[in-house]
Amino acid sequence: MHSALLKKLIIACLAMFAFAFALVPLYDVFCQVTGLNGKPSLEVAKASSRVDENRLVDVSFTTHAQQGAPFDVSAEQFKVTVKPGEVTKVAFSAANLSQQARVMQAIPSVSPGIASKYLHKMACFCFNQQPMKAGEKQDFELMFYVDTALPSEIEELTLSYTLFDITEQSQQVALEASQDEPTSMETSDE
Amino acid sequence: MSSIVNPHDHGHDDHHGAPSGFKRWLFTTNHKDIGSLYLIFALAMFIIGGAMAMVIRAELFQPGLQLVDPHFFNQMTTVHGLIMVFGAVMPAFTGLANWMIPMMIGAPDMALPRMNNWSFWILPFAFAMLLFSLFMEGGGPAFGWTFYAPLSTTYSNDNTALFVFAVHIMGISSIMGAINVVVTIVNLRAPGMTWMKLPLFVWTWLITAFLLIAVMPVLAGAVTMVLTDKYFGTSFFDAAGGGDPVMFQHIFWFFGHPEVYIMILPAFGVISTIVPTFSHKKLFGYASMVYATASIALLSFVVWAHHMFTTGMPLAGELFFMYATMLISVPTGVKVFNWVATMWRGAISFEVPMLFSIAFIVLFTLGGFSGLMLAITPADFQYHDTYFVVAHFHYVLVTGAVFSIMAAAYYWLPKWTGHMFNETLAKWHFWLSLISVNVLFFPMHFVGLAGMPRRIPDYALQFADFNAIISIGGFAFGLSQLLFVYVVYRCVKGGDAAPAKVWDGAEGLEWEVPSPAPYHTFSTPPEIK
Amino acid sequence: MKAYRFAVGWLAAMLPTAALSNSDYNMRQGVTDISQQVYDLHMTIFLICCAIGVVVFAIMFWAIIHHRKSKGVTPAQFHESTKVEILWTAIPFVILIAMAVPATKTLIAMEDTSKADITIKVTGSQWKWHYEYMGEGVDFYSVMSTSQDQISDKEAKGENYLLEVDKPLVIPTGKKVRFLMTSDDVIHSWWVPDFAVKKDANPGFINEAWTRVNDEGIYRGQCAELCGKDHGFMPVVVEAKSPEDFDVWLASQKSAKLEAEQASAALLDQTLPKDELMAEGETVYMAYCAACHQPTGLGLPGVFPAMKGSPVVTGPINDHIDIILHGRPGTAMQAFAKQLSIKQIAGVVTFKRNTWGNDTGDVVQPSQVQARLDAKQEEGK
């Protein structure tokens, strides 16, 4: 008499436990759709077909080496003014400040969060893990455009990169990381 | 399944030998024994968690660091929260459910008595483990009961594993308890006990049990992710590996907000039972009470992010969660109005359970008002993580949940023990608690509004006067509870014999069995007209 | 009778507003248009709640007084009324809508994404704030300046106890200042009550908030999100200056930065005496290190390692310097390369290696620290 109900309830429990983990990918999807938390897409975007000539948007860049990450990355210009739809290139110079080979992962974040949906990156050093030799200096290029659909009340947006040292996590894949899909990245699958 | 419970009519126990000593309690499958165990355990945890609150209030009595270092202070706030939520309030309600639900629905026992035994007996291990971690090198959890990542992952000490396992066990215990409640209520109601005849305490517990089944596994998932992030190199909450620390808060509060209602819905049930008894009048709006409870439970799933307005959300998100949260005050208001309407033109008498219930209605509503204020997003930016929040949730949980538990204890103690409690002492306990609890929590609104953040071991000088008053209220409230322990102890040991129907206005099946309730009740189901 | 009624009415109307407006008991009205709006909103909701409370509890206490059993009343029999129940579901609904309208307006005003005049990046770390004036090349750390002696009651507490810093954030009045929040380690929350700005600083992510301050002055706040041991000792102090004064200040910061660089460069050729380094080191240790490693050098077992007899402190000098410069990833040990000057680092390394019974006798010069900063792969392990 009880076992049928008991079984249902236990299945409900297990389903909810699984749901907790399902929330992880769901959250990412949710972020992409709503721009929650300024989590931009890590996909390579296609060029825009249209340029909005009547509007200018400020895009500023900032980088931040996470505690202990021995990297210094800075954009050539702190701020660029772009027309929505226009593809813009920004040069970044990066350096490994340590005396060891390290692997850098840059995590992009956009503010205001809602704007992350409208900032499309066509080339970015954040797409891949970046192995850097001891003391090495590298130049990166960011290629992006702002979607013409960007809500008109947004006049200014910021693209921030947080630099993480992921040498330990990526020891095995460090060598081919520049060509391959970074395997330790969860969000880069989709 | 009722075959598991021995169908004997008499008050003796011949199912597993003469009940005696430790073994009776360890192996018991009797709902009344397990109910008592839960209640005693909750009381013990209430005292331990209260002792930690005393440490917190002693340190905050004046500015400067006098007694404990900030790291230990953080452990105290964390473990105080965990113990009060998972060790005191939830087990107390489970204890009440164990004792009363079978008696209220005319069932011989809980549906799954062995699981019932298990769900209680794993609890002491969980809390032993949690308390033990306080004495290990590095100390216990110090990241708040909400254990936000990455403070609880990368930046916590190695004893975090103990915390994780303790929470897992608490969760399993609650889930088993909840499953038992659902199966009991669905399957073991006496013939004629239709859904809309269920006592409200049973209704609220049924809904609570569904909430528990829905969200405790999510908490288990969250702590599991903390565990793997910390020890096994996953990065659910670590931005370096593509994770997101804010996601932790979403998952946590998806559990956390329904959890708040888990702690208050049974309280609504208790108050809805006691108020009609002492108003000598039927509960006003039974059906709307049931619907209000259900809608509060449903709404609780779509408001979680109101705990996170400052984490940075799109405007649309902020508006949605603000509106949804404000909406909860409608069914909650309906409940309060119904209780007042029940008292209206009744013949009210003021026994101790009623005193606690009236205090509940007033003070819980106060906590509801501050909750409504907190829902207003722009104002929440100022209230968030200040003592205003601390005041809010203590009004809801102490003068709300805990007062209702005390009301319930005084209400059913004579039924459990067969003795009347000492009414004079109990009234002393009530008045002392009522006054001190307000001295304790009311000024917290002021310091919070004036800008004192929560979870700080030391504060700026302008908060000093209020904090001294708060601490005095705290010590007084803490000491008053020792009186409660004494009243309960005296009542268990002896006192005037209680009649079957202890309170003349009471209704319900539990008052049809003698006091103390025999070891086995309703082995033959009663007839409900 | 009329006078009596008038007095009661007047008291009821004035009490909450008079007693609670901008006092130590209430939310601050603050110094921005937004904070004023938030305050008004807070008072509106508060007074509505008070009004509801008065009505509901008046009815309840009326029942408690008049419908008591001891008066010998017979209880009524009613126990439901669809009409009344619909009514008291609908009325709160209307009240809620009345509350939601101003709340929504204020919220939309707060989420203004138009161009700002100045952008400041605020980075939280355990347990200090870092401010960077973006595009200006000015950045600095802001650390609580209340002494340990005041906290441990050995010294009288100052007026701004726990709410004072060594270097406050300076912003201009009347301009839209945008704050970009992020964190170096755990989640912090940057809060200035007078601006009604509270925003979480999440590691790896960026958040934004803005303010436009009307009045010059010094405004104090605190970290509002539990961030570990010294969460309570992480104040925010903002000084609002007139735009002219602000420009002067910003220029002085730029020149001061140049001077500091020159002073550091000059140090490279010098050999400082041990006493000077030890004194420098002790000051730095107490300000930056003692929060975790403790003034006694004993650390907190299981949480923060001891300095006394530590294998790092008594081991190779270069490794010791490197850890201070770059921190230890994944632990609470921060990178101090940008927080401290080479002289300060040289001092603190010398101090640690010759205190608490650590008797290596090493004296580390600023040039050695600079050498580690400049070190290239040829020195690599």
Coordinates of all heavy atoms in Angstrom, one line a residue, chain A residues 58-83:
Chain A
D58 N 30.4 53.8 -26.5 CA 31.7 53.7 -26.0 C 32.0 52.3 -25.4 O 31.1 51.7 -24.7 CB 31.9 54.6 -24.8 CG 32.2 56.0 -25.2 OD1 32.4 56.2 -26.4 OD2 32.3 56.9 -24.3
V59 N 33.1 51.7 -25.8 CA 33.4 50.4 -25.2 C 34.7 50.6 -24.5 O 35.7 50.9 -25.1 CB 33.5 49.3 -26.3 CG1 33.8 48.0 -25.7 CG2 32.2 49.2 -27.1
S60 N 34.8 50.3 -23.2 CA 36.1 50.4 -22.5 C 36.5 49.0 -22.1 O 35.7 48.1 -22.0 CB 36.0 51.4 -21.3 OG 34.7 51.3 -20.7
F61 N 37.8 48.9 -21.9 CA 38.4 47.6 -21.6 C 39.1 47.7 -20.3 O 39.8 48.7 -20.0 CB 39.4 47.2 -22.7 CG 38.8 47.2 -24.0 CD1 38.9 48.3 -24.9 CD2 38.0 46.1 -24.5 CE1 38.3 48.3 -26.1 CE2 37.4 46.2 -25.7 CZ 37.6 47.3 -26.5
T62 N 39.1 46.6 -19.5 CA 39.9 46.6 -18.3 C 40.3 45.1 -18.1 O 39.5 44.2 -18.5 CB 39.1 47.1 -17.1 OG1 39.9 46.9 -15.9 CG2 37.8 46.4 -16.9
T63 N 41.4 44.9 -17.5 CA 41.8 43.6 -17.2 C 42.2 43.5 -15.8 O 42.5 44.5 -15.2 CB 43.1 43.2 -18.1 OG1 44.1 44.0 -17.7 CG2 42.8 43.2 -19.5
H64 N 42.2 42.3 -15.3 CA 42.4 42.2 -13.8 C 43.1 40.8 -13.6 O 42.4 39.8 -13.9 CB 41.1 42.3 -13.1 CG 41.2 42.0 -11.7 ND1 41.9 42.9 -10.8 CD2 40.7 41.0 -10.9 CE1 41.8 42.4 -9.6 NE2 41.2 41.3 -9.6
A65 N 44.3 40.8 -13.2 CA 45.0 39.5 -12.9 C 44.5 39.0 -11.5 O 44.6 39.7 -10.5 CB 46.5 39.7 -12.9
Q66 N 43.8 37.9 -11.5 CA 43.3 37.3 -10.3 C 44.5 37.1 -9.4 O 45.6 36.7 -9.8 CB 42.5 36.0 -10.6 CG 41.7 35.5 -9.4 CD 40.6 36.5 -9.1 OE1 40.4 37.5 -9.7 NE2 39.7 36.1 -8.1
Q67 N 44.2 37.3 -8.1 CA 45.2 37.1 -7.1 C 46.2 36.0 -7.4 O 45.8 34.8 -7.5 CB 44.5 36.8 -5.8 CG 45.5 36.5 -4.6 CD 44.7 35.9 -3.5 OE1 44.9 34.8 -3.2 NE2 43.7 36.6 -3.0
G68 N 47.5 36.3 -7.5 CA 48.5 35.3 -7.7 C 48.8 35.0 -9.1 O 49.7 34.3 -9.4
A69 N 47.9 35.4 -10.0 CA 48.1 35.1 -11.4 C 49.2 36.1 -12.0 O 49.0 37.3 -12.0 CB 46.8 35.2 -12.2
P70 N 50.4 35.6 -12.4 CA 51.5 36.5 -12.7 C 51.4 37.1 -14.2 O 52.3 36.9 -14.9 CB 52.7 35.6 -12.6 CG 52.2 34.3 -12.9 CD 50.7 34.2 -12.6
F71 N 50.2 37.6 -14.5 CA 50.1 38.1 -15.9 C 49.8 39.6 -15.9 O 49.2 40.1 -14.9 CB 48.9 37.4 -16.6 CG 49.1 35.9 -16.6 CD1 48.2 35.1 -15.9 CD2 50.1 35.3 -17.3 CE1 48.3 33.8 -15.9 CE2 50.3 33.9 -17.2 CZ 49.3 33.1 -16.5
D72 N 50.2 40.2 -17.0 CA 49.9 41.6 -17.1 C 49.3 41.7 -18.5 O 50.0 41.5 -19.5 CB 51.1 42.5 -16.9 CG 50.7 44.0 -17.0 OD1 49.6 44.3 -16.5 OD2 51.5 44.7 -17.6
V73 N 48.1 42.1 -18.7 CA 47.5 42.2 -20.0 C 46.9 43.6 -20.0 O 46.1 44.0 -19.1 CB 46.4 41.2 -20.3 CG1 45.8 41.4 -21.6 CG2 47.0 39.8 -20.2
S74 N 47.2 44.4 -21.1 CA 46.5 45.7 -21.2 C 46.1 46.0 -22.6 O 46.8 45.6 -23.6 CB 47.4 46.8 -20.6 OG 48.6 46.7 -21.2
A75 N 45.0 46.7 -22.7 CA 44.5 47.1 -24.0 C 45.3 48.3 -24.5 O 45.7 49.1 -23.7 CB 43.1 47.4 -24.0
E76 N 45.5 48.4 -25.8 CA 46.3 49.5 -26.3 C 45.5 50.8 -26.0 O 46.1 51.8 -25.6 CB 46.4 49.4 -27.8 CG 47.7 50.0 -28.3 CD 47.9 49.5 -29.8 OE1 47.0 49.6 -30.6 OE2 49.1 49.1 -30.1
Q77 N 44.2 50.8 -26.3 CA 43.4 51.9 -25.9 C 42.5 51.5 -24.7 O 41.9 50.4 -24.8 CB 42.5 52.4 -27.0 CG 43.2 52.8 -28.3 CD 42.8 51.9 -29.4 OE1 43.0 50.7 -29.3 NE2 42.3 52.5 -30.4
F78 N 42.3 52.4 -23.8 CA 41.4 52.1 -22.7 C 40.0 52.1 -23.1 O 39.1 51.4 -22.6 CB 41.7 53.0 -21.5 CG 40.6 53.6 -20.8 CD1 39.8 52.8 -19.9 CD2 40.2 54.9 -21.0 CE1 38.8 53.4 -19.3 CE2 39.2 55.5 -20.3 CZ 38.4 54.7 -19.5
K79 N 39.7 53.0 -24.1 CA 38.3 53.1 -24.6 C 38.3 53.3 -26.1 O 39.1 54.0 -26.6 CB 37.8 54.4 -23.8 CG 36.3 54.5 -24.0 CD 35.8 55.9 -23.4 CE 35.4 55.8 -22.0 NZ 34.9 57.1 -21.5
V80 N 37.3 52.7 -26.7 CA 37.1 53.0 -28.1 C 35.6 53.4 -28.3 O 34.8 52.9 -27.6 CB 37.4 51.8 -29.1 CG1 38.9 51.5 -29.0 CG2 36.6 50.6 -28.7
T81 N 35.4 54.2 -29.3 CA 34.0 54.6 -29.6 C 33.7 54.0 -31.0 O 34.4 54.1 -31.9 CB 33.9 56.1 -29.7 OG1 34.4 56.7 -28.5 CG2 32.5 56.6 -29.9
V82 N 32.6 53.2 -31.0 CA 32.3 52.4 -32.2 C 30.9 52.6 -32.6 O 30.0 53.1 -31.8 CB 32.5 50.9 -31.9 CG1 34.0 50.6 -31.6 CG2 31.6 50.4 -30.9
K83 N 30.7 52.3 -33.9 CA 29.3 52.3 -34.4 C 28.8 50.9 -34.3 O 29.5 50.0 -34.6 CB 29.3 52.7 -35.9 CG 29.6 54.2 -36.1 CD 29.6 54.5 -37.6 CE 30.3 55.8 -37.8 NZ 31.1 55.8 -39.0

